[in-house]
Amino acid sequence: MNRLEKVLQLAAVGANEAILIHKPSNIYYLSGYTGEGLLAAGHGFQAIITDFRYTEQAENQAPGFQVQMIEKGVGHADLAARLYAEHGVTTIYYEDDEVTMRAFDGLKKAMPEITFVSLKNAPEKCRRIKDEKELSFIEEACNISCKAFEAVLPKVKPGMTEKQIQILLDFTMLEMGADGLAFDTIVASGENGSLPHAIPGPRKIQAGDMITFDFGAKKHGYCADMTRTVAIGNPKPEMLRIYETVLRAQEECEAALAPGKICKDIDSIARKIIDDAGYQGRFGHGLGHAVGIDIHEDPRLSQFCTDPLEVGHVVTVEPGVYIPGLGGVRIENTCAITENGGRTLVHAQKALLIL
């Protein structure tokens, strides 16, 4: 059973029913196509609807799909309507968490006789379990990320700005084979380390700073995600204590990963370690999230997720402590869940590096 068949089965798409996909990540997962457009499919048909710029690309990337091209006066919804009519479709499962009200009005106008119902994230549910090929793509992205990080560290010096370091790291990942970046790289130094999603700026690196790097390469459409915090010279004693606390939380949570473990229980391990060290309220985000085609996927390692971990999940483990006016520490690995527990895909050193 291929991926499209699995989605049709999971969504219980019956005779005279079909799906309509707008999300680029789901289109890629189901077809291999990376351009713009829509994916329309049902029992016995599958098509990519796009424009002139992407028709050749769609034919090359999604050879099992019919490629239909829009033209003046005939848009995506119009071509979808024709396709569904040809196959007697009366009900369409669509991504109600993606389609805007304006776009939905356009769909209803083009297909007034069609009943639209929620797809209820069926593609994303199928995407939770990664196959061996997907795991190899994520691991390759992680390897590129680690090698780039290790290549950049010797070049980091006092006087450089966060932005200069970000540019250097991004360029190095691309130079080492990344197809793109999984997300906007974070480089946060000194007091800026208290901002979990700091934007690299003009602040210059100073002796004694801790610097948090949160970054990831993208390869074959799949993301890596890793975070390391390093020191420039000797950091303040309090920052060393924070580092040891976060490192312990990260290592114990990573060691606890296993099939059947409940996501919120893994998160609780880190939260207790950090709270017991006296940093209550300074770890305000979830412990981690799944990674794949999108940088943030389900399940989540958080206090709100009661899902059990399963073989084939790929999740991050990224505890942190953030103290306004002082700084912060975060350490993160991307890990695959196997029958034997968690397997880290990130091999860069976690013990504190003092540059």
Side-chain angles (χ1 to χ4, degrees):
M1 185 182 296
N2 63 32
R3 291 174 177 178
L4 182 56
E5 290 169 341
K6 288 180 181 178
V7 170
L8 293 175
Q9 183 182 76
L10 181 61
V13 176
N16 301 322
E17 296 182 337
I19 62 172
L20 180 62
I21 304 297
H22 285 74
K23 291 180 186 177
S25 55
N26 284 338
I27 292 173
Y28 174 62
Y29 178 75
L30 294 172
S31 70
Y33 171 58
T34 60
E36 297 178 9
L38 303 177
L39 184 152
H43 297 288
F45 72 96
Q46 52 191 36
I48 302 292
I49 301 170
T50 187
D51 63 70
F52 174 80
R53 297 171 297 166
Y54 297 102
T55 51
E56 184 178 1
Q57 178 182 337
E59 289 166 354
N60 291 335
Q61 292 182 327
F65 284 70
Q66 177 186 0
V67 178
Q68 296 196 358
M69 185 176 74
I70 65 170
E71 56 190 45
K72 185 176 180 179
V74 182
H76 293 79
D78 300 311
L79 283 183
R82 292 180 186 176
L83 182 67
Y84 292 134
E86 289 172 6
H87 291 86
V89 172
T90 58
T91 299
I92 293 174
Y93 294 78
Y94 79 108
E95 297 165 313
D96 58 344
D97 60 332
E98 176 75 8
V99 178
T100 65
M101 291 181 66
R102 181 178 296 180
F104 187 58
D105 287 342
L107 292 175
K108 291 192 295 183
K109 183 178 179 181
M111 297 173 257
E113 304 302 320
I114 292 287
T115 298
F116 288 90
V117 297
S118 174
L119 187 55
K120 297 181 179 179
N121 300 109
E124 288 91 339
K125 291 174 183 175
C126 289
R127 285 167 51 188
R128 287 186 175 209
I129 304 296
K130 274 63 178 180
D131 60 28
E132 288 301 319
K133 190 172 185 180
E134 290 178 294
L135 285 171
S136 71
F137 290 162
I138 298 171
E139 188 159 20
E140 187 174 355
C142 288
N143 287 337
I144 291 170
S145 304
C146 289
K147 290 177 183 177
F149 176 65
E150 290 165 351
V152 164
L153 281 184
K155 302 175 184 178
V156 175
K157 307 293 182 184
M160 293 180 71
T161 68
E162 294 170 339
K163 192 67 178 178
Q164 286 173 326
I165 297 170
Q166 176 208 357
I167 292 169
L168 179 61
L169 181 54
D170 290 352
F171 175 80
T172 305
M173 285 190 283
L174 294 169
E175 189 176 46
M176 289 185 167
D179 297 331
L181 305 178
F183 54 94
D184 292 338
T185 295
I186 296 169
V187 177
S189 62
E191 65 278 3
N192 289 343
S194 68
L195 302 168
H197 278 189
I199 299 173
R203 186 188 184 282
K204 292 184 178 180
I205 305 303
Q206 304 169 29
D209 277 350
M210 300 280 269
I211 310 172
T212 297
F213 298 77
D214 188 347
F215 60 100
K218 198 161 193 175
K219 189 68 177 179
H220 307 298
Y222 285 78
C223 298
D225 195 358
M226 63 177 286
T227 304
R228 291 292 185 269
T229 302
V230 304
I232 298 292
N234 294 318
K236 297 176 181 178
E238 183 64 17
M239 292 302 299
L240 288 174
R241 183 172 181 272
I242 291 171
Y243 193 96
E244 290 304 316
T245 300
V246 172
L247 179 60
R248 180 186 164 206
Q250 201 285 330
E251 290 182 334
E252 290 199 17
C253 289
E254 190 172 302
L257 296 175
K261 292 287 188 70
I262 303 302
C263 288
K264 67 187 293 289
D265 294 342
I266 304 294
D267 176 278
S268 293
I269 295 171
R271 217 156 290 282
K272 185 176 189 307
I273 291 170
I274 290 169
D275 287 353
D276 287 351
Y279 299 113
Q280 297 93 335
R282 296 292 97 208
F283 173 36
H285 57 75
L287 177 66
H289 54 86
V291 174
I293 298 171
D294 291 321
I295 189 61
H296 294 115
E297 297 185 354
D298 290 329
R300 311 288 174 126
L301 298 182
S302 80
Q303 288 295 289
F304 307 102
C305 184
T306 58
D307 295 345
L309 291 172
E310 299 180 47
V311 173
H313 284 166
V314 178
V315 297
T316 66
V317 178
E318 49 179 307
V321 170
Y322 312 93
I323 311 295
L326 178 63
V329 172
R330 183 166 65 254
I331 303 170
E332 173 188 22
N333 277 357
T334 295
C335 303
I337 306 302
T338 74
E339 293 179 353
N340 299 317
R343 178 173 73 89
T344 184
L345 305 181
V346 175
H347 301 290
Q349 176 177 321
K350 287 191 291 187
L352 179 63
L353 284 167
I354 299 179
L355 306 180

